[in-house]
């Protein structure tokens, strides 16, 4: 079974631009959650989607948004990028919410 | 809000020795899950072990075991017979039993294995 796939692996963007990150969960998994990892703030929860509905949202500004498609694939969008958005963005999937999460290898976003 | 604290930013151990990583958490909930994740240089988070709060028995997975002290809100990870491949960042994480898949992570402990 293929694992959680995140694309792209690396991304460099300029301040003010927007970016879309993609996450393909393990086949059959309906829950997809996103995390931001930075040296200063550590791992922080962004949001979770389950069956195309956002179930939970972390404490991030409205510039961070996401969605989930009917095939459970998820995208995360960040608009008006700031230098502080430079981070590793991790996606995790699980069959349903009451089970452990399996993580992808992340997308390393650098904002210059 | 729940918080997770890992007080050891770095730890080192000799190969084949045993090491214990500490984690404390704060919550007012009675139903929750605790996890230890490993993040090697490849950056992928790998689940090491999980513990359900309602279970009194400590979880064990091969060389990895936990010491879960619910009253003290402590959840330490013991790695026996340390191997070079165990070198990584280790994160303790909390998840509410309410249903949403939201993990609260500690700051991590960087584990070095000395040959």
């Amino acid at each position: 079974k293929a694992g959680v796939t995140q694309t792209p692996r690396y991304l460099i963007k300029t301040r003010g631009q927007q970016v879309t990150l993609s996450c393909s969960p393990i086949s059959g998994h309906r829950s997809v959650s996103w995390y931001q990892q930075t040296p200063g703030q550590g791992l922080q929860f962004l949001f979770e989607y389950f069956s195309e509905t956002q179930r939970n949202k972390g404490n991030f500004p409205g510039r961070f948004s996401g969605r989930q498609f009917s095939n459970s694939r998820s995208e995360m969008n960040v608009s008006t990028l700031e230098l502080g958005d430079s981070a590793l963005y991790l996606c995790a999937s699980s069959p349903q919410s009451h089970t452990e999460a399996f993580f992808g290898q992340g997308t390393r976003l650098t904002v210059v | 809000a729940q918080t997770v604290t890992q007080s050891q930013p770095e730890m080192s151990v000799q190969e084949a020795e045993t090491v214990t990583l500490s984690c404390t958490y704060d919550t007012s909930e009675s139903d929750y899950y605790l996890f230890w994740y490993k993040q090697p240089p490849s950056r992928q988070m790998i689940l090491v072990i999980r513990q359900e709060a309602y279970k009194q028995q400590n979880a064990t997975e091969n060389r990895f075991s936990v010491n879960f002290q619910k009253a003290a809100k402590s959840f330490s990870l013991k790695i026996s017979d340390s191997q070079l491949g165990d070198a990584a960042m280790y994160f303790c994480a909390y998840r509410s039993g309410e249903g949403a898949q939201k993990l609260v992570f500690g700051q991590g402990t960087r584990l070095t294995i000395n040959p």
Side-chain angles (χ1 to χ4, degrees):
Chain A
K1 217 177 201 180
V4 178
T5 303
Q6 291 188 245
T7 56
R9 292 288 307 278
Y10 301 90
L11 207 48
I12 300 176
K13 289 287 187 179
T14 304
R15 268 183 302 175
Q17 288 187 312
Q18 75 165 14
V19 67
T20 299
L21 311 182
S22 179
C23 173
S24 293
I26 293 170
S27 178
H29 287 196
R30 297 167 64 190
S31 170
V32 174
S33 49
W34 290 87
Y35 295 83
Q36 181 196 64
Q37 185 176 21
T38 60
Q41 299 298 316
L43 282 149
Q44 294 185 286
F45 172 80
L46 280 155
F47 28 65
E48 182 209 0
Y49 287 87
F50 184 84
S51 295
E52 301 180 66
T53 301
Q54 189 180 86
R55 287 169 58 98
N56 208 342
K57 191 177 191 306
N59 189 24
F60 279 82
R63 300 185 297 107
F64 291 81
S65 63
R67 58 179 176 169
Q68 186 180 34
F69 302 95
S70 58
N71 61 358
S72 294
R73 189 178 71 87
S74 178
E75 288 182 347
M76 190 193 99
N77 185 75
V78 187
S79 62
T80 319
L81 283 165
E82 300 176 359
L83 295 179
D85 296 333
S86 295
L88 178 67
Y89 290 88
L90 291 165
C91 166
S93 77
S94 59
Q96 51 190 347
S97 290
H98 287 279
T99 52
E100 47 264 41
F102 297 86
F103 283 81
Q105 289 190 286
T107 294
R108 170 76 67 187
L109 171 65
T110 301
V111 182
V112 298
Chain B
Q2 295 82 24
T3 58
V4 177
T5 302
Q6 293 178 249
S7 58
Q8 306 153 316
E10 295 183 355
M11 292 280 285
S12 64
V13 64
Q14 290 296 124
E15 194 176 3
E17 298 286 301
T18 296
V19 64
T20 298
L21 309 184
S22 301
C23 171
T24 58
Y25 59 95
D26 189 28
T27 184
S28 58
E29 299 177 327
S30 58
D31 182 22
Y32 53 88
Y33 300 84
L34 295 165
F35 305 88
W36 278 98
Y37 279 91
K38 167 185 176 181
Q39 187 178 41
S42 68
R43 308 175 320 194
Q44 183 159 13
M45 299 285 278
I46 301 165
L47 178 66
V48 175
I49 200 164
R50 66 176 268 174
Q51 174 80 44
E52 292 89 341
Y54 64 85
K55 287 187 177 179
Q56 293 187 346
Q57 187 173 5
N58 290 326
T60 299
E61 286 289 341
N62 301 314
R63 297 182 296 108
F64 299 87
S65 62
V66 298
N67 183 5
F68 174 46
Q69 301 289 326
K70 191 171 183 178
K73 295 180 182 173
S74 170
F75 183 61
S76 61
L77 174 71
K78 185 171 83 171
I79 306 174
S80 304
D81 186 25
S82 297
Q83 300 175 0
L84 295 177
D86 294 334
M89 282 291 288
Y90 284 81
F91 292 93
C92 179
Y94 170 102
R95 198 193 84 208
S96 169
E98 286 293 307
Q101 184 63 268
K102 173 187 174 182
L103 291 166
V104 177
F105 287 91
Q107 288 296 97
T109 296
R110 182 175 301 281
L111 178 64
T112 301
I113 311 295
N114 300 313

